[in-house]
Amino acid sequence: KPLCCYDGKAPCVKAIFMEGTQLLVGTKGSEIFEFDMSTEDSWRTNRKIITQGHSAGYDEKKKVQNSELWGLTTHPFLPQFVTAGDDKTLRVYDMYQRRQIAVRNISSKARSAAYSPDGKFIAAGFFGGGFIVFETNTGNEVIAKKHRREEISDIKFSPNGRWLAVG
């Protein structure tokens, strides 16, 4: 897959920084790539994605990227947080490493997120009125339901973790 295309779907380069043999490339889609430029061909194999944001959504009608971040929740005791957005993903970040450590695809645009008090579960509320709960460590789905027609803009576990409130 090419790094830069101007069709609006593939990453489009917005910023470049080079120091020594390290090249950093920032894209319109909120990705940062790191390339090793030590030899003529090393960039083809020695590259990695440093981080991704929630700008990967694409509006077919308008031909533009259009995702936004909507939900944010912190882990009850670990230095981690989860973001939820229009790109139909939940992303887990480590606060100390300052990087994304996990991503989970979900079925709908997300509007809210919450950790359970023990940190074992993550819940997300959707734009279309549904929600999902899954295990933090395994990613296994515990439950997914359609609750109503309107978006779920807030979702919270009760203090003992037994109940889930959606609003």
Side-chain angles (χ1 to χ4, degrees):
K1 183 174 177 181
L3 178 62
C4 186
C5 291
Y6 296 99
D7 60 2
K9 294 180 183 177
C12 182
V13 174
K14 299 299 277 182
I16 296 175
F17 175 78
M18 188 158 184
E19 185 172 297
T21 60
Q22 178 190 37
L23 175 68
L24 297 177
V25 177
T27 69
K28 184 177 180 181
S30 300
E31 298 100 354
I32 298 176
F33 294 90
E34 180 182 2
F35 295 89
D36 174 8
M37 304 298 285
S38 59
T39 68
E40 188 175 323
D41 292 324
S42 63
W43 68 272
R44 295 178 193 269
T45 55
N46 296 335
R47 60 182 178 183
K48 63 182 175 180
I49 191 158
I50 302 294
T51 191
Q52 290 179 299
H54 285 280
S55 292
Y58 185 73
D59 186 329
E60 289 289 338
K61 291 179 184 176
K62 296 179 183 176
K63 306 287 187 208
V64 295
Q65 290 179 326
N66 65 346
S67 292
E68 294 179 350
L69 174 120
W70 281 84
L72 174 67
T73 184
T74 57
H75 194 283
F77 48 86
L78 294 176
Q80 297 176 355
F81 63 92
V82 169
T83 60
D86 284 343
D87 63 344
K88 299 180 183 178
T89 64
L90 297 176
R91 297 173 185 271
V92 182
Y93 295 87
D94 184 289
M95 291 182 207
Y96 291 144
Q97 294 179 23
R98 295 184 177 184
R99 15 177 37 145
Q100 179 180 301
I101 56 174
V103 62
R104 186 182 202 287
N105 293 320
I106 51 179
S107 61
S108 182
K109 294 179 178 182
R111 288 294 180 262
S112 54
Y115 270 106
S116 62
D118 60 7
K120 292 181 180 179
F121 301 100
I122 296 174
F126 297 148
F127 176 77
F131 66 90
I132 188 171
V133 177
F134 62 93
E135 295 176 348
T136 305
N137 291 338
T138 65
N140 292 336
E141 184 179 304
V142 176
I143 189 169
K145 278 188 105 70
K146 173 81 170 176
H147 183 260
R148 59 179 183 221
R149 287 188 292 250
E150 296 83 23
E151 72 181 44
I152 295 179
S153 58
D154 201 8
I155 192 164
K156 296 282 188 269
F157 285 91
S158 63
N160 66 2
R162 183 174 178 192
W163 305 101
L164 183 68
V166 299

